Amino acid sequence: MKSSWPVIVVGAGPAGALCAYSLARAGLSVLLLEKACFPREKPCGGGLTPKAAALLPFSFQAVVDGEVKRAILRLPGVKTLEIGWGRPVCFLVRRELLDTYLAEQARRAGAFLREGEEVVQIEETGEALTVITAGGASYRAQLVIGADGALSRVARLVGRSLPRRFALTAAITPPPAWSEKRDTILIDLEALPYGYGWVFPKAGHLNAGVGSFAAARELRFHWENFARRNGLGRPLRLRAHPLALAGEETELGRGRVMLLGDAAGLVDPLTGEGLYAAFCSAQLAAKAILEEGVGERAVPRYRELVKASLGREYHFAHRLARLFYRFLPLIARYFSSRPEQVRHFWEFLFFGGYAELFRRAGARYWEKLLRGPSS
C-alpha cells in the first residue's frame, strides 16, 4: 500500500465515512483509518432525524430498526403527554450496523479503508503531515481530517480540550409494557436537571439512557432513579460517553487539519443529537476541499461554510437550550395544556432548524411561553 495520500481521514464513523465517500466519489485518493474493526459497538441513542437522513446521498433503509411515530413525554410537575404523528419523525438505528454500512459505502466509492489502525501521532513535515499509527505504520498526507469522536486524538493535537458533559447509555431487555411499542419513544425531562432520559426501542432490546448538559455529578444515581421510575430492568450493559456540545469547545481545525462532527464539538446543545452535524460537517469539509484543493486553503473555507450553516443553527440552539432548561417548569406548564405546540416544536427540531424556529416564532412566542399558560 502506498504511504503518501492527498487526504487521510482519521475515524470511520458517520462523519469520517461520509466525508471519505464524498471525496472518493469526486475522484480524490483517500485513506480512511479506523482504530476498531467493524462491526464495533458505539454508545449512542441511535435516533436518526429526518433532517440528518436527508443529507445521505444513498439509501439507509437496510439499517433501520424502526420508525418513530409516537412519543411519551414526561414533563416536570405536570401530566405525561402522549404525542402522535402521521409520518415518521425519527428513524431508529443501531450504531454498530449504521457505522459499518457507512464505512462500506465509503470503501465502495473508492476510499481505502484500514481497520484496526489507531492514530497515535501527527507530525508536521514541511508541506505535508505525517500520520503515525499504534502499529508503527507511517503515512504522509497533504490534509488530515479528524473524525475520531468526542475524545478525538486529532482534536487534542490541535488544542481542543476534552468535553465535560456526559451521558449514560444502556441496552435493556424490553419489559412487557414495551413489547408493543416499536414505534414509540420516551423522553423524560424529569430524569435529571439540565438534561433528560430516553428510551428508544430497537430490535431485541431497548436503548435507554440519561444525558446531562450541565456537568452533572452522580449521573449513575440519576440513571438508577430514571430506570426505576420507568419500570426498566437491569441493563445488559451500561456505558458512559462524552457529549461534545456545540458552543463550548468547538474547534474546526487549523493548518492542514480539519475536525468534523463530535471531534469538532458539534453536538446539538439542546438535544445532544450528533448525527446531523456529523453528516453536515462531512459534506461541508468535502465541499471546501473540492473548491480549494487539499492544501491549507481548504481549512479556512471549511470554517466559513460551517459558520454560515451549522454555526448559525447552533448559535440559536445554544440560546434556546439555556432558556429551555433554565425555565423548564414554566415551559412544561405551557406545553401541558397545548400538546399541539409540542408536536410543532418537535417537528422543528427533527425536520427543520433552530434559525427557522426563531424566525417563524419570533420573540413574542418565547415571551408568551415564559409568562405561562394564563397569558
Side-chain angles (χ1 to χ4, degrees):
M1 186 182 73
K2 66 181 184 180
S3 61
S4 184
W5 300 81
V7 180
I8 293 178
V9 180
V10 180
L18 184 57
C19 186
Y21 169 91
S22 300
L23 293 174
R25 288 272 294 181
L28 267 67
S29 183
V30 182
L31 176 61
L32 179 57
L33 299 176
E34 168 58 44
K35 69 178 181 180
C37 293
F38 292 107
R40 47 105 164 106
E41 187 178 355
K42 177 73 174 179
C44 175
L48 180 62
T49 64
K51 68 179 181 182
L55 296 176
L56 291 175
F58 41 74
S59 173
F60 60 94
Q61 290 300 320
V63 293
V64 173
D65 262 3
E67 297 179 344
V68 176
K69 295 183 179 179
R70 298 188 61 81
I72 301 168
L73 182 62
R74 299 202 195 285
L75 298 169
V78 300
K79 63 183 180 181
T80 297
L81 299 181
E82 294 195 18
I83 311 161
W85 295 268
R87 57 176 174 167
V89 295
C90 189
F91 303 100
L92 299 173
V93 297
R94 285 181 286 169
R95 283 293 302 275
E96 64 269 25
L97 299 182
L98 175 66
D99 290 14
T100 302
Y101 180 77
L102 294 174
E104 178 60 17
Q105 299 307 306
R107 188 191 65 77
R108 290 183 179 181
F112 195 93
L113 173 62
R114 293 279 293 180
E115 300 176 54
E117 289 254 31
E118 181 180 5
V119 172
V120 295
Q121 191 173 350
I122 299 176
E123 299 175 348
E124 291 189 36
T125 51
E127 297 298 311
L129 298 170
T130 298
V131 176
I132 302 169
T133 71
S138 178
Y139 307 101
R140 283 173 58 84
Q142 297 300 306
L143 190 68
V144 171
I145 297 176
D148 46 340
L151 299 179
S152 168
R153 185 180 293 271
V154 179
R156 280 179 276 165
L157 292 173
V158 299
R160 187 174 79 78
S161 59
L162 295 176
R164 296 171 292 171
R165 312 296 189 256
F166 286 86
L168 285 177
T169 304
I172 296 173
T173 300
W178 279 90
S179 60
E180 302 299 326
K181 295 180 179 179
R182 291 297 306 277
D183 67 345
T184 302
I185 63 173
L186 166 69
I187 300 296
D188 187 347
L189 288 162
E190 289 187 302
L192 72 169
Y194 283 83
Y196 66 89
W198 72 85
V199 177
F200 290 177
K202 304 295 178 68
H205 73 279
L206 299 179
N207 179 294
V210 292
S212 169
F213 304 130
R217 298 178 181 178
E218 301 180 342
L219 203 55
R220 181 64 180 259
F221 169 78
H222 291 300
W223 156 257
E224 291 173 351
N225 281 345
F226 165 74
R228 183 171 55 252
R229 187 171 63 250
N230 289 288
L232 304 177
R234 292 178 60 84
L236 302 173
R237 55 187 181 274
L238 180 65
R239 295 184 61 183
H241 61 97
L243 298 171
L245 301 177
E248 294 184 336
E249 301 294 341
T250 302
E251 170 61 69
L252 299 175
R254 64 185 67 172
R256 294 178 178 270
V257 176
M258 284 181 179
L259 300 175
L260 311 183
D262 286 17
L266 288 174
V267 170
D268 189 310
L270 177 68
T271 66
E273 187 269 339
L275 288 174
Y276 173 72
F279 295 154
C280 187
S281 61
Q283 291 190 341
L284 295 177
K287 178 179 173 64
I289 294 167
L290 295 176
E291 287 180 356
E292 301 292 341
V294 294
E296 293 182 345
R297 291 172 56 187
V299 178
R301 177 57 178 152
Y302 169 61
R303 191 177 293 113
E304 290 174 0
L305 292 171
V306 171
K307 183 178 180 180
S309 55
L310 276 174
R312 184 168 179 267
E313 279 293 297
Y314 287 167
H315 166 73
F316 287 107
H318 188 65
R319 291 170 61 189
L320 179 56
R322 294 175 62 184
L323 174 74
F324 185 84
Y325 289 109
R326 181 180 179 185
F327 296 103
L328 183 56
L330 285 175
I331 294 171
R333 284 165 49 201
Y334 178 86
F335 279 152
S336 67
S337 60
R338 297 168 175 82
E340 191 63 28
Q341 292 292 331
V342 180
R343 186 177 294 106
H344 293 326
F345 183 69
W346 191 297
E347 290 179 356
F348 267 113
L349 296 184
F350 282 17
F351 286 91
Y354 293 102
E356 179 71 4
L357 176 62
F358 270 77
R359 186 186 70 80
R360 287 197 184 185
R364 289 184 180 180
Y365 173 83
W366 301 104
E367 291 171 0
K368 182 177 180 181
L369 187 150
L370 291 178
R371 286 200 299 268
S374 62
S375 59

